[in-house]
Amino acid sequence: MEKLLEISQKLERLVNENDLVGEFQGIIAEYGIESSDSLKKVFTEKMEKDRDLKIGILGRVKAGKSSFLNAIVFKGQNVLPKAATPMTAALTILEYGNDFEALVDFYSKDEIEDIKSKHQLCKKELVRLEEQKFQEFKERNKAGKSDSDLREMSKKFAINELKTDGTIYAYYEQYEKMLESKINYANLSNEEKIRANSYDELNEKLKDYVGSNGKYMPFTKAISFRLNEEMLKDVKIIDTPGINDPIVSREQRTRELIAECDAVFLVSPCGQFLANEDLRLLNNINKNNGIKEFHIIASQFDNALSYPEIIGNKVFPEAIERAKAPLQRQQQSVFNSKKDEYGEEICRNFLDFEVLYNSGISIEIINNLGNLQDENQMVVFDNLKANYPDFYTSSEQAKSNLEKLSNIENIYKTLEDVRTRKDKIIKERLDELIASKRKALNKYKGEIVNKINNKKNTLLKSDMQKVAQQISDLNSMKSQMINIANDFFEETANILSNKIKKELKSKADILLRGIDDASENSIGSKTEERTRTIDKGRGILFWRSLTGNRYETQYYTVDIKTVNASMIRNQIQEAIININDDISSVYRDQIAGWKTNIRNKLKKELQNKIGNERIEPDIVDSSVDKIITEVSRSLPDGSIDSTLPATLRKSGLILGESECDKFLEAVDDYTMNLKSITNANIKTIVDIVYKVISSSNIGTDLAKTLENDLKDLADKLSSKEQSLARYNSILEQLDQIK
């Protein structure tokens, strides 16, 4: 550990003293390089005697993290708010205390000012986009819509476009909520302590800080709970709003806390179990922080028990085992297939731990059994009673089986096991952290060596006369270079956006057609035998009435229309997962290909048109790389968010013409809406890609970068021996850092 800190300090000092920080920002972020002070703080904290075991709870938005924690920590009471968005979710820390209290950490005044300034930038962009779209809609207004309708359409389009580039819009949304609150943040303290005598009271008081309409919600950055709960002794649980948090200051705090964690629980919903976003998150955390103790929670497990193939013979314990099997197969399949990408050791870590299923809503139902008010709780409970009638005949039986469904007992056992192995985990975690940080620092050092060697080689083969001529040539051909670069970027922007649009639409169309096919294939019929009573009359002298033969029971059969709701639901959920995964994958592949392609082709184009003898090729390469990196930072992330509505959360067979038609109509409406959302998002992604690339001022920026790089080279050449000596000194120092 001491050796590692020494290496970190030497590299940090060397980079700072030689003004190389700016050139290595991307690499520093990629390898998770922390400042020496931060690294020392992490190590010091991990060496503290009797410190708490830190457990990180990870998962994407709406994965069921809050329900999971409400179930295991708050016994099913909804203390932590559900369905938070990335813009409003607070970082949450749970630890042991003697009372019921929460410490609310607000954004600092500097952080709020930063949010405000980005809000203003976004507001200007919204106005610009809205006016641009209004003029476009007005020119194409064949339907004769009013200006007010066109304005409304333009506003929605502008918002959707900026939402795709989530970062800047997150600041806009955050500050708008701050304005709506009418609170003067200058009067806010840095933090506020909330005390309560019960969870109900604590929950009520917290609504102002984390409720969707809470007046302090926009200002809440993090909440630390100190609770008199036995399970929190010696443990600190960190519930993260996400690693790809659009609010940068909160994301940084999240990354710092995750780096301190000794064990991680990933919460992944059964319907989208171990999707690409989960895998990227796990790989990033493990690669940069050396965490070996992983547990995976398959949340929202109650959904899996409503599939026909799981229901089977309606025996509840057998259904649970059948529902667990595909999750475990998915775990094995995913991590076995990722060995080349993640490395065998990492995948072995992910495979070592059994998947733990969980249904947080089951504990909520137990708490409210006999007086269910929440619609979602009622739907889940009604489905369980319908699908497993023999196991929900009494309250006591229902409670027992709901506890099995929640799997709380096994989760507690896992947490207890983690707690009992605390010292061993902390020791292993420290060793692994040292190893992973050492590996990252070695890679970082290698990048510095390569950069300095390139600078040295360029200096060796250059001379002042040649560089002076190149600077002169650059000034004379600057407008030509700007035109070449701008034309090239305009052309590639058009090609790229069309390729992305074609690939994404093709993928989305195939996936969405699957929903239509599932709807058609799910329709069937069921023959039922029914009875009816026929009145044959009283008979002569009422003899039928007197003998009891007046009424006769007749048996007949009817064909009833059926719809397999589970089939459709499964197809929709699969389509949503695949749309996100495939669109993200196609988009990233296209962008990565574009970056590689344009680097090579633009360099070649400039060399062909301008000539190698007029500008140093290494300088051109370096300048083009800088510009491509800058442009890439402004591109959207390419993801689409679609969540299944409550109206389609049905399972099993739906019976009857009316009910079937109603459900199928809801499916059609949802599918049309999903198609519209998907196509709108694809268009927005494509438009932003085109706009960012084509309007990036690449030519001017490239010329300016080239000019600065050539002037810097000229400065180095004016004192060539000293510059070479400096480079050699840096390389020697690097060679000594081992």
Side-chain angles (χ1 to χ4, degrees), residues 16 159 172 329 460 553 594 644 687:
N16 288 335
I159 289 173
Y172 175 81
R329 286 197 299 270
L460 283 170
T553 300
W594 168 78
L644 194 65
D687 287 349

Side-chain angles (χ1 to χ4, degrees), residues 16 41 68 71 81 99 151 174 181 281 292 374 415 419 431 435 478 492 509 515 549 559 611 653 721 731:
N16 288 335
K41 182 182 174 185
F68 170 66
D99 303 303
R151 285 280 179 200
Q174 191 86 3
S181 72
L281 190 61
K292 295 187 76 169
D374 181 84
L415 285 168
R419 183 188 280 109
D431 292 342
K478 189 180 291 184
T492 62
D509 287 346
I515 299 176
N549 292 321
D559 288 334
L653 284 180
E721 294 305 315
L731 291 170

Side-chain angles (χ1 to χ4, degrees), residues 67 85 176 178 196 265 275 322 410 526 541 561 658 684 712:
S67 291
T85 69
E176 284 292 308
M178 290 179 179
F265 282 70
R322 280 195 293 271
N410 285 326
K526 179 180 180 181
L541 299 177
K561 183 176 182 179
S658 176
T684 302
D712 181 63

